[in-house]
Amino acid sequence: MAERVSGPEIERLIQLLARLPGFGPRSARRAALHLIRKREDLLGPLADAMRTAQDKIVTCATCGNIDTCDPCTVCADQRRDHTTLIVVETVADLWALERAGALRAAYHVLGGTLSPLDGVGPKDLNLSTLIDRVARDQIREVILAVNATVDGQTTAHYITDLLAPLKVKTTRLAHGVPVGGELDYLDEGTLAAAMRSRTAF
Amino acid sequence: MAERVSGPEIERLIQLLARLPGFGPRSARRAALHLIRKREDLLGPLADAMRTAQDKIVTCATCGNIDTCDPCTVCADQRRDHTTLIVVETVADLWALERAGALRAAYHVLGGTLSPLDGVGPKDLNLSTLIDRVARDQIREVILAVNATVDGQTTAHYITDLLAPLKVKTTRLAHGVPVGGELDYLDEGTLAAAMRSRTAF
């Protein structure tokens, strides 16, 4: 701003909001004004919710999920099939699979993918606990639900090699045409994979 | 979500974030995860900044601006020309004009526009203090920097009538081609106004 038009407290609020994903300086200003207009309804409750989250959030020692209790809600849920582990890269992926209601099983959050260029090695991922769980908990199937990217697939291969001595069944998500997708807009790799894995109609 | 995958505290944080302008459920989840990942750097400081804002923010009794002091930073700034009042609809408009560095004058924030259909009458706007200021403070010019919408222009005409007995000079922002704008994309009203108000090259 060319001139200061308000106190430093408002500037600081705008600067912090601008660091949220999807926000820039302009949308952060709009959000700040919206929050200030709705001081009682939104600003106060949001400040409290953030403070509570900061005080209470822990990483689940079992699976790496983020929650306000340890073991987390997923690990503590006895209605799930705890002999099947879905290995995901991030908590966001866990949430996405749960929104889809894909499978009521247990999870294991790696916290990223192997990426030698970025200096991320096996020690940086939540891998030793994965081996321990598979060895200890009579796991029957490990589903490698990592992203279909180069890093994701590299990580999946690495984990398959790690798990080989334990003789556990390992699977990966199917490749194919996204539901609602148009063939014309899909890449050749996806189309070839969908053709190879075609199923009876 | 099909299943609860985390405690109610995280759900509540996501629900509140989803009420920010420009955010929906999906971007709110992404923002919540980002905040949780950056607990020390961002979540805590943002919670503190929001709490401070809620405790300190007041509406300036003179001009209607939002600030952490009253009179506000703009009203208290002695380097401004306090004999010129820029009348704006909202604080966001005040901030926009200040970013442009348009004119170092004083402001008056109406808090909206006259809108009979929405039940907004003269009593709902910050109008009586405007008349008082013009009558009391030797104001030489009132610039009606309201939006170029029907409601904005109706409000501008209403204010002009109100101010008429006080014999103060009232002006409005120029209409014309936006800087960087292409004629082909502009509406007929703007082009006609720009043609009428053409200036020597």
Side-chain angles (χ1 to χ4, degrees):
Chain A
M1 278 194 203
E3 289 285 320
R4 277 270 293 282
V5 291
S6 51
E9 295 90 348
I10 298 178
E11 281 301 309
R12 176 156 174 77
L13 178 62
I14 294 171
Q15 277 166 14
L16 287 167
L17 285 171
R19 289 172 54 194
L20 290 178
F23 266 14
R26 186 174 289 252
S27 42
R29 276 194 299 271
R30 200 165 49 229
L33 275 176
H34 184 81
L35 284 168
I36 290 169
R37 257 198 308 269
K38 308 212 172 233
R39 286 200 268 297
E40 302 303 321
D41 282 358
L42 189 52
L43 184 58
L46 190 52
D48 291 342
M50 285 180 173
R51 174 58 55 208
T52 307
Q54 203 198 8
D55 291 345
K56 292 188 130 187
I57 278 174
V58 287
T59 301
C60 175
T62 310
C63 76
N65 186 19
I66 275 169
D67 205 339
T68 45
C69 48
D70 181 13
C72 72
T73 310
V74 174
C75 286
D77 182 353
Q78 287 309 320
R79 294 165 307 168
R80 288 174 185 267
D81 169 13
H82 286 275
T83 64
T84 300
L85 282 189
I86 306 173
V87 175
V88 291
E89 294 178 15
T90 63
V91 174
D93 294 340
L94 186 161
W95 290 5
L97 286 169
E98 282 298 304
R99 279 200 301 283
L103 193 70
R104 294 184 52 169
Y107 284 86
H108 197 84
V109 182
L110 294 175
T113 50
L114 297 176
S115 180
L117 284 178
D118 300 323
V120 181
K123 293 251 178 293
D124 302 308
L125 301 183
N126 192 14
L127 280 173
S128 58
T129 48
L130 174 62
I131 308 299
D132 292 348
R133 281 179 91 181
V134 172
R136 189 188 59 211
D137 295 349
Q138 288 101 38
I139 302 296
R140 289 182 307 177
E141 180 178 355
V142 173
I143 304 170
L144 299 169
V146 291
N147 289 335
T149 55
V150 172
D151 282 348
Q153 297 306 305
T154 308
T155 309
H157 281 291
Y158 183 86
I159 294 175
T160 312
D161 290 346
L162 270 187
L163 293 178
L166 298 170
K167 309 271 184 231
V168 69
K169 178 180 171 190
T170 54
T171 55
R172 65 162 175 78
L173 297 182
H175 288 310
V177 181
V179 176
E182 296 184 48
L183 300 191
D184 194 20
Y185 290 96
L186 281 173
D187 64 294
E188 289 79 4
T190 303
L191 284 175
M195 188 59 81
R196 273 197 306 276
S197 309
R198 64 192 177 278
T199 55
F201 196 64
Chain B
M1 273 191 208
E3 290 285 320
R4 278 270 294 282
V5 290
S6 51
E9 295 88 348
I10 298 177
E11 280 300 310
R12 176 155 174 77
L13 177 63
I14 294 171
Q15 277 166 15
L16 288 167
L17 284 170
R19 290 172 55 194
L20 290 177
F23 267 16
R26 185 173 289 253
S27 41
R29 276 194 299 270
R30 199 164 52 228
L33 275 176
H34 185 81
L35 284 168
I36 290 168
R37 258 198 307 270
K38 307 214 173 233
R39 285 200 268 299
E40 301 303 321
D41 281 358
L42 189 51
L43 184 58
L46 190 52
D48 292 342
M50 286 181 172
R51 174 58 56 209
T52 307
Q54 203 197 8
D55 291 345
K56 291 187 131 190
I57 279 173
V58 288
T59 301
C60 175
T62 310
C63 75
N65 187 18
I66 275 169
D67 205 339
T68 45
C69 48
D70 181 13
C72 72
T73 310
V74 175
C75 285
D77 182 352
Q78 287 307 320
R79 294 164 308 168
R80 288 172 185 268
D81 169 13
H82 285 274
T83 64
T84 300
L85 282 190
I86 307 173
V87 175
V88 291
E89 293 178 16
T90 64
V91 175
D93 295 340
L94 185 160
W95 289 5
L97 286 168
E98 281 299 304
R99 281 200 301 284
L103 192 69
R104 294 185 51 169
Y107 285 86
H108 196 84
V109 182
L110 294 175
T113 50
L114 295 178
S115 181
L117 285 177
D118 300 322
V120 182
K123 292 250 178 294
D124 302 307
L125 301 182
N126 193 15
L127 280 173
S128 59
T129 48
L130 174 62
I131 307 298
D132 292 348
R133 281 179 91 182
V134 172
R136 189 189 59 212
D137 295 348
Q138 287 102 40
I139 304 295
R140 288 183 307 178
E141 180 178 356
V142 173
I143 304 170
L144 299 168
V146 290
N147 289 335
T149 56
V150 172
D151 282 350
Q153 296 306 305
T154 308
T155 310
H157 281 291
Y158 184 85
I159 294 175
T160 312
D161 289 347
L162 270 186
L163 294 178
L166 297 169
K167 309 272 183 232
V168 69
K169 178 181 173 189
T170 55
T171 56
R172 65 163 176 78
L173 296 182
H175 287 310
V177 181
V179 176
E182 295 183 47
L183 299 192
D184 194 20
Y185 290 96
L186 281 173
D187 64 295
E188 290 78 7
T190 302
L191 285 175
M195 188 57 81
R196 274 197 305 275
S197 308
R198 65 194 178 276
T199 56
F201 196 67

